[in-house]
Amino acid sequence: MLFIKIVCTPARRCREACELAVGHGTPRRAAKLAAVVGTLLVFINQWEAVTGAVSIDWLKVLLTYCVPYLVSTYTSVSKDLTLLREAEDAEQTVHEEARKTQMQSDSV
């Protein structure tokens, strides 16, 4: 039974992380942040291209927007997973306390 728990827990966490990354408002929040931060970084890193002195490197522009999107997504998912773990731990504690209380009332 322990082996199954060891194997299933990471797979379940991975599935939860993927669900959180594509749902629960995460993509929208990450896109908003990437639009603001990415635009600022494009102006900083590609200023010569923006002013017309050199040509724009579109791969760098794309990556400039992808990085803040991915960082925001990772941060949001890791926070949500932490909250889920804390909720599961709290629920487990409540069940254990209820079991102890039930055992004490049964023995009296």
Side-chain angles (χ1 to χ4, degrees):
M1 185 67 176
L2 181 61
F3 175 75
I4 292 172
K5 186 175 181 179
I6 290 171
V7 172
C8 290
T9 300
R12 188 183 68 161
R13 291 290 183 208
C14 183
R15 189 187 83 241
E16 289 173 350
C18 290
E19 288 173 1
L20 289 169
V22 298
H24 305 282
T26 301
R28 181 176 297 212
R29 286 190 306 272
K32 287 178 184 179
L33 180 90
V36 173
V37 174
T39 301
L40 290 172
L41 290 174
V42 165
F43 280 118
I44 292 168
N45 296 328
Q46 301 271 337
W47 182 249
E48 293 82 15
V50 171
T51 59
V54 296
S55 63
I56 291 180
D57 185 343
W58 291 105
L59 178 61
K60 286 183 181 180
V61 170
L62 176 67
L63 291 174
T64 300
Y65 284 97
C66 286
V67 169
Y69 179 87
L70 293 173
V71 169
S72 178
T73 300
Y74 171 80
T75 302
S76 182
V77 168
S78 64
K79 175 202 54 102
D80 291 343
L81 285 175
T82 299
L83 291 175
L84 282 173
R85 281 189 213 112
E86 289 173 357
E88 288 172 358
D89 291 344
E91 184 178 355
Q92 183 66 26
T93 301
V94 167
H95 286 298
E96 288 173 4
E97 291 297 322
R99 191 176 315 122
K100 286 179 187 176
T101 304
Q102 182 66 36
M103 289 175 62
Q104 287 174 353
S105 65
D106 287 346
S107 65
V108 174

